Amino acid sequence: MRTAFVAALVLTSGLAFADEGQWQPYQMPSIADKLLQRGIDIPASQLADLGQYPMNAVVSLGYCTASFVSPQGLVVTNHHCAYRGIQYNSKKEHNYLADGFLANTQAEEPSAGPNERLYITQEVTNVTDSVMANLSTEPLVRFEDIQANKKALIKVCESDDNYRCSVNSFHHGLEYYLTKQLIIRDVRLVYAPPKSVGGFGGDIDNYEYPRHSGDFTFLRAYVGKDGKPATFKKGNVPYQPKSYLKVNADGVKAGDGIFVAGYPGSTSRYNLTSELQFASDWIYPTYAKRYQLQIDTITLMGDVDKDIALKYAGTMASMANRMKKLNGLLDGFNATDIVGIKQQRENDFLAWLKKDPGANQNLISDLEALLAEKHQQMQTNYFFKNAQSSEMLQAASKLYRLAKERKKPNDQRESGFQLRDMKMFKAALKRIDSSFDPVVDKILWLQDLQAYVRQPLKTEVFDNALSSSDNFEQLESKVEGLYALTELTDQAKRLAWMSKRAEDFEVSDDPFIRLAVAIHDTNMALEKSEKLLAGKLSSVRPEYMKAIIDYYKSNNWPVYPDANRTLRITYGMVDGYQSKDALYKQPFTRLAGILAKNTGEAPYNAPAKLLTAIKADDLGKHRVTSVYKQQSSCQFMSCLDKPADFNSVPVNFLSSADTTGGNSGSPVLNGKGELVGLNFDSTYEAITKDWFFNPTITRAVHVDIRYILWMMDKVDHADNLIKELTLVSKTKGEAKVATEAVTEIPTKATTEAVTVVAPEVVTEAQAKAVIEVAPDVAIEVATEIPTEATTEAVTVVAPEVVTEAPAKAVIEVAPDIVIEVATEVPVKATTEAITVVAPEVATETPAKAVIGVAPDVAIKVATEVPAKATTEAVTVVAPEATPEEIPAKAAVVVVPEAVTKVPAKTAVVVTPEATAEIATKVPTKAAAVVTPKAAAEKEPN
C-alpha cells in the first residue's frame, strides 16, 4: 500500500539516517562516535588508513569485492562473483559449476581466466583542484578539458605499469579522487562449492529472506618469482599481502555491531525526483522487458544443448539478478511512496534555499532542463544501440575504433584505447570464446533488430548497411549471411586485427567489419552529443550538489557520496526486520532450513554430502547454542524475547549495513575487524535503497563464516585451507588451526618445562604445532609420555588467552568443559619445572618460575613428596598475592573448578566453573600444589 504517512514518518523522525552511509575511508574519524555506539571498537583512524589492517586486506575484482585471508594470497569472495572463473574451468568431463572444486595443493589451482584481476587499493588522493583547473566555459571543450586533466594525472600515477589508476567523480563532479591500485594478473581458482550450494534457492530466493546460500569461493593471487605482478605462468608464486583478515570462528550474535568494507557499484540518492520518476516509468520497465526475453531464449536453448547452458551460465546469472532487481525496484516504488518522499525533501530544500538571498534560485530548474534533454537522448538512442548488440559487431566496432585512435598521440586517445588499455583490450577479445555461441548470439541479435525496426527512431546509415526491413525472413537471411561469412569467430584472426590500419578495415570483405565501418561516423556523432550534454551537466550539477550538502549539514544529516565502485565502509548491527507480509524475519537461518527447502530439483537441490552431514547432526565444534545475547539490542519485541536454543550452524544472517551491488563478496567484520561473514545480497524490501535508505526495512544478507568453516571442515574436508586461516575467538585468543584432537607426546620425553595455561590468558603461542580445541564441547585428553621424553617444552594453552608461550607443541583446551587428564610419568621424568597457570591471571611466566592462582573454588589438595625431592624452592601463591619466583627444579599445579588428575610431565588442563578435587601423586621428582585463597607456604628442600 502506497502511503504518504511513511514519508512523513521517515522525514520527521530522523530514523532515516540510522546506519545510513557508504562512507569514504577518510571520513571515518568524523563518525567515530557512531561506530562506538554500534560496538565497533577498532579505531576510526585505523579504518581511515588504507595501509593498515583491515583495509589493506580488502580488494576489488573489478565488479565485486574480495579480501585476503592468509599470508599466501588466499582470497575469499562470493560464489557468484567467482562464477566466471568457475565457468572458465568447467567442461563436460569436469563440470565444476555442478560438482564444485577443491585444490588440495597449490599445484592443482588452475587459472580463473585471462581476464580475471585483483585490484589492491594503495592510495586515494583528492585531486579536485587539478581536474578542475583551467576549464573552458564551452560545454564540449569543458568536457574534453576534464578528460585531459584526468588522463594527465593517471599517466603520472601509472609510471609503474604494475599499477592501475583511475580518477573518479564524487558528488556528481563536485570532487575528484585519484585511486592507485596494484594489479594482480594471475588469479587462480582454489575452492568453490557446487552451484547447488553457492546458489541454493537460485533466482527464486534471490533478494528474498530467509536464505540458505553458501555463496562463497576461495581464489588465490599469484605473482612472478620477483614478487611483481605477472600474467599466468606455472612458475609464479603466491602473492604475500601486507595483511590478511583474521577469521572469527565464533561469529556474531543478534545486536552485535558490524561493518562492511567494499566497492559498491552505483546509487542515486542525490538525484532529483524527476530522475526517479523517469527510471520508474521508462528505464526499468524497458530494460526488464528485454532482459526477460533474453533469459527465456537462453533458457530454452540451454535446455536443448548443455554446452550452451554452460557457456552462458555467467551471463544468465547476471541477467537474472538484474531482472529480479528491476522488478524489486518497481514493486518497491509501488509499495512505498518513494517519489513522494523525495519530492517532499526537494520541496523542503527549495524552501531552505529561498531563505538565502545570495543563492542561485534556478539551481533545480536549470538542472531539470538538462535532465529532460538527457532522458530524450536515452530514449532516442536506446534501440539503435541495442541493434548493435551482436558480439561480432561489437568486436568489429572496437577494433576499427582502435585503428582510428592509434593515429592520435597516446595522450589524446579515448580512454579504453590508450596503450595502458591494450592488455585488457586483448584479454576481452579472448574472453569472447568462453561465453559465446554463434547460434545464440544470432538469435539474441535478431530479437534486438526486430525491436529496432518496429519503432520509428531509425538510423538511415544502419538501415542501408544492414538492408534491414520489417520482413523477418529477409532480416534473418541477412543475419545468417553475416555469421556465415565472418572470420571474427576465430580468435586468432580476431586478435590479428588489433595491429591492422584503419585503411585495412575500410577495404575488408568481412561483413561485420564492413558494417562496423559503415556506422562508425554515426556512433561518433552520438558520442559527441553525449559529451556535449555531459559538459553542460559538469557546470550545473556540482553547483546543485554543493547547495544540497550545505542543506544536509544544516539539518545534521549524514553527507557521503553516492556509490561509484570506489572503496567504501558501511556499518550497522545484526538485526532482523518486519517484512512486507507483516512477519518478523529473524536475523539468522540454520541448517534445518536447507533440509526443509530441499526438493532434489534445481534450484533446491543441495548435494547429497551436505544433506548427509546435516541429517547426521555432524556439527562438531561448529555447533552454536544461541545466536542471541542476554539482552538483545534488536529493534523488535521478537528479538527481546529469548527464543529456544539455536542448536545449529548459522547459514545466513541479516544486518542493517548500507550495501548495494558491487558490495557482493565484501567482508563483514565484527567490532575488532575480524571476518564474520560475506555480504552477498539484500532483502526484497530493501532494493529501493539505491534511491532512498529506509532503516526499518533495509537489510543486507550475509553468508555466516561459521557455515563456511563447517562446509570446509565437515562437508568438503578442505583441511589444507583451514590450516591457512588465522582463526580467532571472539575475545582474545588466536590460533592457526582449529581441530579436535587427542595429542600423543613422542618417544623422547621432555627434560624441560611443561606448561599449562588456563583460559583467557595468552595470545600468540609460538610453536611448531598448535591444536585448538573448540569451546562448548566435552573433551577427554589422555597423554602418555614414553620412556625417552622430548627434550623441548610442551605447552598446553587454553583458548582466547596466552601471550608468547614458546614451545614445540601447543595443545589448546577450551573453557567451560569438563576435562580429565591422566598422565603417567615413567622412569626418566622431568628434572625441571612443570607450570600450570589459572584463568585470567598470569601473562608472563619467567624461566623456571611458576605463579598459580585458582579463584573462587574449593580444592582438596593432597601432596606427597617422596625421597628424592627437588633441591630447590617451591613457591605457593594465593590469589591476589605478590608473585614470587620459583627457581630451578620446582613444580606447581593450579587447578580451578575442575576435577583434574595431574601427574608429572605432560599436559595439565585447567578448567573453570566447576568444583575441583585435586589428587596429585608426585613421583621421583617433587611437585607441589597451590590451594586458592590460602596462605602461601614453602615446602622445605
Side-chain angles (χ1 to χ4, degrees):
M1 181 178 68
R2 295 172 64 89
T3 169
F5 173 72
V6 174
L9 175 65
V10 171
L11 286 169
T12 59
S13 66
L15 189 62
F17 304 108
D19 296 342
E20 177 184 353
Q22 294 170 348
W23 304 88
Q24 292 175 265
Y26 86 87
Q27 293 182 286
M28 300 314 289
S30 69
I31 58 168
D33 57 333
K34 294 181 175 62
L35 297 176
L36 287 172
Q37 288 171 10
R38 275 284 175 249
I40 298 168
D41 299 324
I42 190 168
S45 59
Q46 185 173 333
L47 295 177
D49 188 344
L50 302 184
Q52 288 197 57
Y53 180 97
M55 297 307 295
N56 59 359
V58 181
V59 300
S60 170
L61 296 174
Y63 45 87
C64 278
T65 305
S67 51
F68 287 115
V69 289
S70 96
Q72 293 296 307
L74 190 66
V75 168
V76 67
T77 188
N78 286 154
H79 184 273
H80 77 264
C81 291
Y83 212 91
R84 292 195 311 194
I86 305 168
Q87 176 191 345
Y88 179 80
N89 286 284
S90 294
K91 306 289 186 290
K92 278 186 176 180
E93 56 271 22
H94 52 76
N95 187 342
Y96 297 145
L97 282 173
D99 304 330
F101 173 78
L102 172 63
N104 291 306
T105 65
Q106 291 179 4
E108 298 174 12
E109 297 171 358
S111 169
N115 220 38
E116 294 307 303
R117 301 284 188 272
L118 290 178
Y119 300 93
I120 308 169
T121 298
Q122 308 283 301
E123 299 172 8
V124 176
T125 308
N126 189 327
V127 292
T128 305
D129 291 343
S130 297
V131 173
M132 303 299 287
N134 303 315
L135 299 184
S136 172
T137 56
E138 197 281 310
L140 182 59
V141 178
R142 179 185 175 86
F143 175 86
E144 297 292 357
D145 286 345
I146 291 173
Q147 298 307 306
N149 290 341
K150 290 166 66 174
K151 288 175 187 176
L153 289 165
I154 289 170
K155 182 179 180 179
V156 173
C157 182
E158 290 183 349
S159 56
D160 182 342
D161 65 4
N162 290 319
Y163 292 90
R164 184 79 175 181
C165 300
S166 60
V167 177
N168 300 102
S169 165
F170 290 75
H171 291 302
H172 293 284
L174 183 63
E175 297 176 347
Y176 289 88
Y177 285 81
L178 172 70
T179 300
K180 182 177 183 179
Q181 296 176 309
L182 182 70
I183 314 174
I184 301 296
R185 295 187 174 93
D186 185 354
V187 182
R188 304 191 190 182
L189 182 63
V190 178
Y191 167 42
K195 180 183 177 182
S196 54
V197 172
F200 184 78
D203 187 50
I204 298 173
D205 276 5
N206 192 20
Y207 289 111
E208 300 292 345
Y209 197 82
R211 293 290 291 278
H212 300 84
S213 175
D215 199 349
F216 69 91
T217 290
F218 287 85
L219 307 170
R220 195 183 304 276
Y222 279 79
V223 291
K225 290 182 178 179
D226 59 359
K228 295 181 179 180
T231 54
F232 176 82
K233 186 179 180 181
K234 284 292 184 183
N236 286 351
V237 297
Y239 172 71
Q240 296 183 354
K242 292 180 179 178
S243 72
Y244 51 92
L245 298 180
K246 296 176 183 179
V247 178
N248 192 304
D250 291 339
V252 287
K253 292 188 176 183
D256 280 349
I258 55 93
F259 66 98
V260 177
Y263 294 82
S266 177
T267 56
S268 307
R269 293 180 187 169
Y270 296 103
N271 286 30
L272 295 188
T273 307
S274 62
E275 294 176 274
L276 171 57
Q277 194 72 61
F278 179 70
S280 176
D281 293 347
W282 186 82
I283 294 178
Y284 296 156
T286 305
Y287 284 24
K289 181 180 179 181
R290 180 172 180 249
Y291 286 147
Q292 191 60 60
L293 180 61
Q294 291 177 332
I295 290 169
D296 293 343
T297 301
I298 298 173
T299 299
L300 287 171
M301 299 182 75
D303 288 343
V304 175
D305 189 331
K306 297 305 177 187
D307 276 347
I308 287 176
L310 196 58
K311 277 191 171 184
Y312 282 85
T315 302
M316 283 287 286
S318 178
M319 284 196 299
N321 185 62
R322 289 198 296 264
M323 186 68 197
K324 188 75 176 271
K325 183 169 184 176
L326 289 173
N327 285 332
L329 284 163
L330 292 170
D331 287 348
F333 293 156
N334 289 328
T336 305
D337 190 15
I338 295 179
V339 172
I341 293 172
K342 289 192 71 69
Q343 187 61 63
Q344 181 61 54
R345 181 164 293 172
E346 208 169 286
N347 293 342
D348 292 345
F349 164 70
L350 285 172
W352 173 85
L353 194 67
K354 287 180 180 177
K355 296 177 183 178
D356 182 358
N360 179 1
Q361 301 298 321
N362 297 320
L363 273 178
I364 287 187
S365 60
D366 290 347
L367 183 54
E368 289 282 19
L370 294 176
L371 291 174
E373 186 180 340
K374 180 180 180 181
H375 297 160
Q376 180 63 44
Q377 192 178 75
M378 290 177 66
Q379 291 175 310
T380 301
N381 299 337
Y382 175 77
F383 290 100
F384 174 62
K385 288 185 175 180
N386 286 346
Q388 302 175 58
S389 63
S390 162
E391 284 280 4
M392 295 299 97
L393 179 54
Q394 288 189 50
S397 295
K398 289 175 183 175
L399 285 164
Y400 182 52
R401 176 77 179 269
L402 174 63
K404 299 282 281 186
E405 293 289 337
R406 277 211 314 266
K407 293 182 176 182
K408 306 175 187 176
N410 186 57
D411 292 350
Q412 296 178 22
R413 296 181 192 176
E414 190 70 21
S415 295
F417 298 93
Q418 294 180 289
L419 292 175
R420 65 189 289 267
D421 303 309
M422 288 304 98
K423 288 180 181 178
M424 295 187 71
F425 191 100
K426 184 176 182 179
L429 290 175
K430 286 183 176 181
R431 196 180 67 225
I432 289 174
D433 292 346
S434 65
S435 57
F436 169 80
D437 181 273
V439 176
V440 177
D441 194 59
K442 178 172 56 182
I443 291 177
L444 294 179
W445 189 32
L446 274 169
Q447 291 173 348
D448 282 335
L449 287 173
Q450 282 184 294
Y452 166 77
V453 299
R454 288 171 181 167
Q455 54 88 44
L457 302 173
K458 301 289 201 313
T459 302
E460 184 178 354
V461 172
F462 182 73
D463 294 350
N464 293 338
L466 193 60
S467 302
S468 62
S469 70
D470 293 336
N471 186 295
F472 178 76
E473 288 76 15
Q474 291 180 4
L475 191 59
E476 184 180 25
S477 176
K478 179 69 174 180
V479 167
E480 287 278 4
L482 266 67
Y483 280 91
L485 297 173
T486 188
E487 293 184 336
L488 293 179
T489 51
D490 182 284
Q491 184 183 115
K493 293 179 179 178
R494 189 164 64 240
L495 292 174
W497 280 98
M498 281 186 68
S499 58
K500 297 290 182 70
R501 300 172 303 139
E503 290 77 12
D504 297 326
F505 283 82
E506 290 154 11
V507 297
S508 172
D509 291 330
D510 188 289
F512 277 112
I513 290 177
R514 291 173 60 186
L515 180 56
V517 171
I519 61 176
H520 176 78
D521 289 344
T522 301
N523 281 327
M524 292 302 97
L526 291 179
E527 185 178 293
K528 183 177 179 180
S529 66
E530 290 170 354
K531 289 179 178 179
L532 176 63
L533 180 56
K536 295 176 182 177
L537 286 167
S538 71
S539 294
V540 176
R541 197 141 211 172
E543 186 182 3
Y544 164 76
M545 281 306 305
K546 186 177 184 304
I548 280 288
I549 290 172
D550 289 342
Y551 172 62
Y552 271 49
K553 288 180 177 179
S554 72
N555 286 282
N556 199 30
W557 293 344
V559 176
Y560 56 88
D562 269 320
N564 61 354
R565 297 202 177 277
T566 59
L567 185 57
R568 304 295 181 90
I569 300 172
T570 178
Y571 67 94
M573 74 173 179
V574 179
D575 196 7
Y577 73 106
Q578 199 82 25
S579 68
K580 61 184 177 182
D581 52 12
L583 294 175
Y584 178 77
K585 300 291 181 73
Q586 296 288 345
F588 291 92
T589 60
R590 66 187 80 201
L591 294 175
I594 297 174
L595 292 180
K597 285 184 176 180
N598 190 71
T599 63
E601 299 291 333
Y604 298 107
N605 56 334
K609 59 183 178 180
L610 172 58
L611 298 175
T612 299
I614 297 173
K615 290 174 182 177
D617 198 33
D618 187 11
L619 309 186
K621 61 182 174 289
H622 308 285
R623 186 185 303 275
V624 175
T625 304
S626 176
V627 292
Y628 286 89
K629 297 178 178 181
Q630 290 293 329
Q631 292 182 344
S632 173
S633 58
C634 294
Q635 295 181 16
F636 302 100
M637 287 302 296
S638 52
C639 277
L640 296 173
D641 298 330
K642 185 179 179 181
D645 285 347
F646 191 77
N647 197 32
S648 185
V649 175
V651 179
N652 296 154
F653 69 96
L654 297 170
S655 85
S656 58
D658 185 358
T659 64
T660 189
N663 273 125
S664 290
S666 291
V668 183
L669 306 165
N670 65 12
K672 296 180 180 178
E674 299 160 346
L675 184 66
V676 293
L678 299 177
N679 184 74
F680 76 97
D681 205 359
S682 296
T683 56
Y684 197 74
E685 295 89 345
I687 292 178
T688 53
K689 69 179 179 292
D690 284 359
W691 289 91
F692 179 78
F693 186 90
N694 183 344
T696 60
I697 59 172
T698 297
R699 294 293 180 271
V701 187
H702 316 300
V703 190
D704 198 298
I705 195 64
R706 292 165 289 192
Y707 181 55
I708 297 174
L709 292 173
W710 178 76
M711 283 287 302
M712 295 172 76
D713 181 19
K714 296 295 186 179
V715 180
D716 290 326
H717 306 292
D719 302 332
N720 56 316
L721 299 182
I722 294 176
K723 291 176 183 178
E724 275 197 62
L725 305 177
T726 297
L727 300 179
V728 301
S729 67
K730 194 163 55 178
T731 50
K732 299 177 184 176
E734 91 179 45
K736 291 298 290 182
V737 188
T739 321
E740 296 171 274
V742 176
T743 303
E744 214 174 277
I745 299 181
T747 316
K748 296 199 172 182
T750 180
T751 59
E752 298 198 3
V754 178
T755 305
V756 181
V757 183
E760 299 175 323
V761 188
V762 189
T763 57
E764 297 184 8
Q766 299 173 2
K768 285 202 175 169
V770 180
I771 302 175
E772 177 177 344
V773 183
D776 308 322
V777 291
I779 301 176
E780 180 174 335
V781 180
T783 310
E784 187 176 325
I785 303 181
T787 309
E788 300 260 342
T790 177
T791 58
E792 307 239 14
V794 177
T795 305
V796 180
V797 183
E800 306 169 347
V801 269
V802 187
T803 337
E804 299 181 2
K808 290 228 169 150
V810 177
I811 304 170
E812 178 172 347
V813 183
D816 307 324
I817 56 177
V818 178
I819 301 178
E820 179 175 340
V821 180
T823 52
E824 281 185 21
V825 182
V827 180
K828 294 189 179 179
T830 179
T831 59
E832 304 206 21
I834 297 174
T835 306
V836 181
V837 183
E840 300 176 321
V841 187
T843 53
E844 296 181 3
T845 306
K848 295 190 168 85
V850 180
I851 301 167
V853 181
D856 304 322
V857 293
I859 301 181
K860 181 177 177 180
V861 180
T863 308
E864 187 178 331
V865 182
K868 291 189 178 179
T870 178
T871 59
E872 308 229 15
V874 176
T875 301
V876 180
V877 183
E880 301 174 352
T882 304
E884 295 183 36
E885 291 189 356
I886 304 176
K889 300 178 173 66
V892 178
V893 179
V894 180
V895 188
E897 304 171 60
V899 181
T900 310
K901 296 177 183 176
V902 187
K905 205 88 197 249
T906 55
V908 182
V909 180
V910 181
T911 45
E913 299 178 2
T915 303
E917 178 176 341
I918 302 177
T920 307
K921 189 182 284 185
V922 183
T924 313
K925 305 299 179 184
V929 179
V930 179
T931 306
K933 295 193 174 177
E937 298 179 2
K938 283 190 179 181
E939 289 288 336
N941 288 339

